[in-house]
């Protein structure tokens, strides 16, 4: 059983005495505890690098899943006198009211509450490594948020496999917002965290090494890189999204619960309709047939066009797939952003540093991002694609114990409900996916349980 140990006193010291090491920490009786200090600071560029006091910190042992929690003291430090060596994921978060923010940072903010988050993955703690510094950033709050990501798909033998993928975007504000011209992108990144000559220390690509990306270190801090960019059509006021309402973007906008004929005229059976979803009422679909044909290719035989549902515009496509696969294996990040057509046309296109002669990826300025969600699996096989001020952590489909659900399991990640105001559902948006999202069986326009 996983254990959670909480420390609420200051200064904070972890004294591993009176515990059975094999019970509480998964064995390792010959390991000798070591001192370790976590220093929390606010982002230097945006928030002046001030010490971050009263920050909630969680250390999770990657091998055992055991968690240790505590708060930083007035110096922004969380001190452990004795902690078992190992590899840990460390997350940190805090929040301030509008007045607290103004008093502490000396500047105003429009939000009534400001959330901060930071994360370090695979931190090694041993006799030679006695401290680390974790940086907290304030997330941006947008009126449109990514509500639901159905990337797992359904059974490969009795469901719709990956053909029933969809994204849901929600109006979390009190005012009507037009979705016309909104861009959605799937980000490119390393699919494993192995450190190589073309990566950063966390295993993510070092995009400054990409051909034509001669912008120094800002290549990794001020930009993200997309293999797919699609756009909602419209002239500016065609597609209103009312407060508390959402839009669904389907890979293929058909009823996946019912059998149908593919483009080759072959019948596609669905043995267990309850495993998949009906997307015939989606707001948009990502039909690639015309795009592929125009570029010398051929349509995917399962990419059925629903003429009653508007098509997303294909802006950039560097993915090998012939359909909008939300990639259950590569664990990409998803973003929504706003930009003018001229700005998007001016995006640099660069190869990954791993393959300088390969596909080109669109370089998107981080400042344009409205919302973003990093996905992963429990093993954190792939490094984060998004910086911490967009998403401090990551989300994945999991059960009540935190164990990951497998791919093709019919589950999606969905934002939790923060509150209901005069009948309008307000979703969690702390820019920390680990806190903001939970898991449900995929349900377009459904809600997480209260």
């Amino acid at each position: 059983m996983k254990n959670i140990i909480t420390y609420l006193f200051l200064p904070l010291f972890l004294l591993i005495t009176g515990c059975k090491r094999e019970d509480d920490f998964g064995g390792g009786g010959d390991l000798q505890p070591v001192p370790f200090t976590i220093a929390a600071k606010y982002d230097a560029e945006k928030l002046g690098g001030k010490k971050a006091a009263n920050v909630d910190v969680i250390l999770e042992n990657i091998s055992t899943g055991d968690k240790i929690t505590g708060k930083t003291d007035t110096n922004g430090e969380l001190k452990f006198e004795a902690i078992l060596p190992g590899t840990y994921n460390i997350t940190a978060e805090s929040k301030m009211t509008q007045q607290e923010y103004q008093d502490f940072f000396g500047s105003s903010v429009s939000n009534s509450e400001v959330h901060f988050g930071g994360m370090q993955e695979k931190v090694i703690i041993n006799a030679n490594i006695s401290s680390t510094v974790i940086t907290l950033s304030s997330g941006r709050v947008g009126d449109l948020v990514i509500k639901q990501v159905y990337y797992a798909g359904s059974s490969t033998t009795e469901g719709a496999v990956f053909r029933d993928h969809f994204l849901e975007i929600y109006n979390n504000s009190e005012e009507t917002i037009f979705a016309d011209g909104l861009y959605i992108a799937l980000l490119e990144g390393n699919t494993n965290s192995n450190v190589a000559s073309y990566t950063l220390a966390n295993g993510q690509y070092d995009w400054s090494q990409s051909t034509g990306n001669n912008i120094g270190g800002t290549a990794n801090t001020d930009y993200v890189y997309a293999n797919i960019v699609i756009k909602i059509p419209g002239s500016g006021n065609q597609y209103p999204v009312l407060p508390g309402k959402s839009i669904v973007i389907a890979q293929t906008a058909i009823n996946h619960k019912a059998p149908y004929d593919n483009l080759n005229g072959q019948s596609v059976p669905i043995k267990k309709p309850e495993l998949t979803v009906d997307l015939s009422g989606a707001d948009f679909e990502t039909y690639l047939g015309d795009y592929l044909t125009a570029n010398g290719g051929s349509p995917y035989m399962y990419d059925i066009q629903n003429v009653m549902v508007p098509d997303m515009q294909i802006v950039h496509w560097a993915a090998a797939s012939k359909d909008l696969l939300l990639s259950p294996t590569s664990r990409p990040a998803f973003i929504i952003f706003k930009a003018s057509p001229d700005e998007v046309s001016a995006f640099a296109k660069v190869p990954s540093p791993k393959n300088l002669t390969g596909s080109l990826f669109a370089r998107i300025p981080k400042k344009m991002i409205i919302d973003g969600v990093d996905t992963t699996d429990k093993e954190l096989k792939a490094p984060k694609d998004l910086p911490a001020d967009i998403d401090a952590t990551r989300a994945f489909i999991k059960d009540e114990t935190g164990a990951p659900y497998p791919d093709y399991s019919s589950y999606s990640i969905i934002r939790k409900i923060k509150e209901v105001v005069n009948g309008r559902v307000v979703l969690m948006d702390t820019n920390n996916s680990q806190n903001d999202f939970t898991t449900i069986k995929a349900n377009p326009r459904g809600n997480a349980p209260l």
Side-chain angles (χ1 to χ4, degrees):
M1 182 178 71
K2 294 180 175 61
N3 300 281
I4 299 177
I5 305 171
T6 305
Y7 302 89
L8 300 176
F9 51 89
L10 296 173
L12 292 165
F13 297 97
L14 174 62
L15 299 175
I16 310 176
T17 58
C19 297
K20 288 185 178 180
R21 211 172 288 165
E22 65 272 20
D23 292 339
D24 288 347
F25 295 93
D30 57 341
L31 292 178
Q32 296 300 313
V34 296
F36 193 76
T37 299
I38 299 169
K41 296 183 178 181
Y42 291 106
D43 180 84
E45 181 179 350
K46 296 180 180 179
L47 302 171
K50 289 189 173 185
K51 297 176 181 178
N54 203 36
V55 172
D56 292 310
V57 180
I58 300 175
L59 292 85
E60 181 176 2
N61 187 299
I62 291 177
S63 298
T64 67
D66 293 310
K67 294 180 180 179
I68 308 165
T69 68
K71 286 182 180 290
T72 57
D73 60 21
T74 54
N75 291 318
E77 294 183 339
L78 172 56
K79 295 182 178 181
F80 298 112
E81 185 175 271
I83 188 170
L84 285 175
T87 303
Y88 293 79
N89 291 326
I90 303 175
T91 58
E93 63 173 354
S94 65
K95 61 183 177 181
M96 293 182 183
T97 65
Q98 187 179 57
Q99 188 61 52
E100 288 171 338
Y101 184 97
Q102 184 171 330
D103 293 344
F104 189 75
F105 293 108
S107 58
S108 60
V109 64
S110 59
N111 305 317
S112 60
E113 192 173 70
V114 182
H115 290 259
F116 304 88
M119 184 179 192
Q120 285 190 14
E121 296 176 341
K122 300 182 179 179
V123 177
I124 296 173
I125 298 176
N126 58 34
N128 299 315
I129 303 175
S130 59
S131 65
T132 191
V133 177
I134 190 164
T135 300
L136 279 76
S137 297
S138 57
R140 60 196 67 196
V141 177
D143 294 330
L144 291 176
V145 296
I146 298 171
K147 174 187 174 183
Q148 187 172 183
V149 183
Y150 179 41
Y151 66 80
S154 53
S155 171
T156 59
T157 57
E158 298 175 313
V161 198
F162 46 70
R163 300 186 296 271
D164 53 0
H165 286 179
F166 69 85
L167 286 167
E168 185 175 358
I169 298 169
Y170 187 80
N171 182 354
N172 213 27
S173 77
E174 298 178 347
E175 299 179 356
T176 297
I177 298 174
F178 288 94
D180 307 48
L182 182 71
Y183 291 88
I184 296 94
L186 276 65
L187 301 190
E188 179 70 11
N190 198 2
T191 56
N192 62 70
S193 56
N194 298 332
V195 177
S197 60
Y198 51 81
T199 73
L200 301 170
N202 66 352
Q204 186 53 273
Y205 289 149
D206 178 2
W207 288 97
S208 67
Q209 297 186 41
S210 299
T211 304
N213 211 22
N214 303 318
I215 53 176
T218 59
N220 299 307
T221 59
D222 294 359
Y223 298 89
V224 295
Y225 300 83
N227 54 53
I228 292 175
V229 181
I230 53 180
K231 178 185 178 183
I232 293 176
S235 58
N237 58 1
Q238 287 181 248
Y239 301 110
V241 187
L242 300 178
K245 301 298 180 181
S246 61
I247 54 175
V248 173
I249 300 167
Q251 180 195 112
T252 304
I254 64 173
N255 182 4
H256 294 277
K257 293 176 174 288
Y260 64 97
D261 290 341
N262 64 25
L263 296 182
N264 295 334
Q266 300 167 328
S267 178
V268 180
I270 300 295
K271 295 180 181 179
K272 289 188 177 181
E274 66 273 16
L275 296 179
T276 182
V277 293
D278 181 357
L279 293 175
S280 60
D283 298 278
F284 303 95
E285 72 173 354
T286 311
Y287 174 68
L288 265 76
D290 295 339
Y291 173 84
L292 292 170
T293 300
N295 287 275
S298 58
Y300 177 52
M301 66 178 177
Y302 296 108
D303 192 8
I304 308 299
Q305 186 178 30
N306 184 342
V307 296
M308 302 301 294
V309 177
D311 292 335
M312 295 290 290
Q313 296 177 2
I314 310 302
V315 177
H316 182 75
W317 199 274
S321 62
K322 290 186 174 184
D323 213 343
L324 181 67
L325 305 187
L326 302 187
S327 302
T329 53
S330 63
R331 316 294 178 191
F334 304 88
I335 64 169
I336 56 176
F337 69 96
K338 277 281 192 177
S340 70
D342 288 343
E343 287 173 323
V344 173
S345 296
F347 286 170
K349 308 294 193 305
V350 300
S352 80
K354 183 178 181 179
N355 183 6
L356 297 177
T357 60
S359 299
L360 300 180
F361 305 102
R363 188 180 74 191
I364 302 172
K366 185 179 69 172
K367 63 183 180 181
M368 293 182 176
I369 299 174
I370 298 171
D371 190 35
V373 177
D374 244 317
T375 63
T376 186
D377 53 21
K378 182 69 173 177
E379 289 74 28
L380 303 175
K381 294 177 182 177
K384 274 175 61 63
D385 295 325
L386 284 171
D389 57 343
I390 303 296
D391 187 357
T393 57
R394 306 197 267 192
F396 61 97
I397 53 173
K398 57 186 176 181
D399 64 19
E400 294 81 1
T401 69
Y405 282 120
D407 297 332
Y408 308 109
S409 58
S410 304
Y411 286 98
S412 67
I413 57 170
I414 189 169
R415 282 190 188 271
K416 300 173 185 176
I417 296 175
K418 177 183 178 183
E419 57 187 343
V420 179
V421 180
N422 297 324
R424 178 176 63 90
V425 172
V426 179
L427 302 179
M428 292 283 288
D429 185 19
T430 67
N431 293 280
N432 183 336
S433 289
Q434 194 173 91
N435 290 339
D436 291 346
F437 284 82
T438 187
T439 300
I440 65 165
K441 186 176 179 183
N443 182 15
R445 296 191 176 87
N447 283 314
L450 280 169

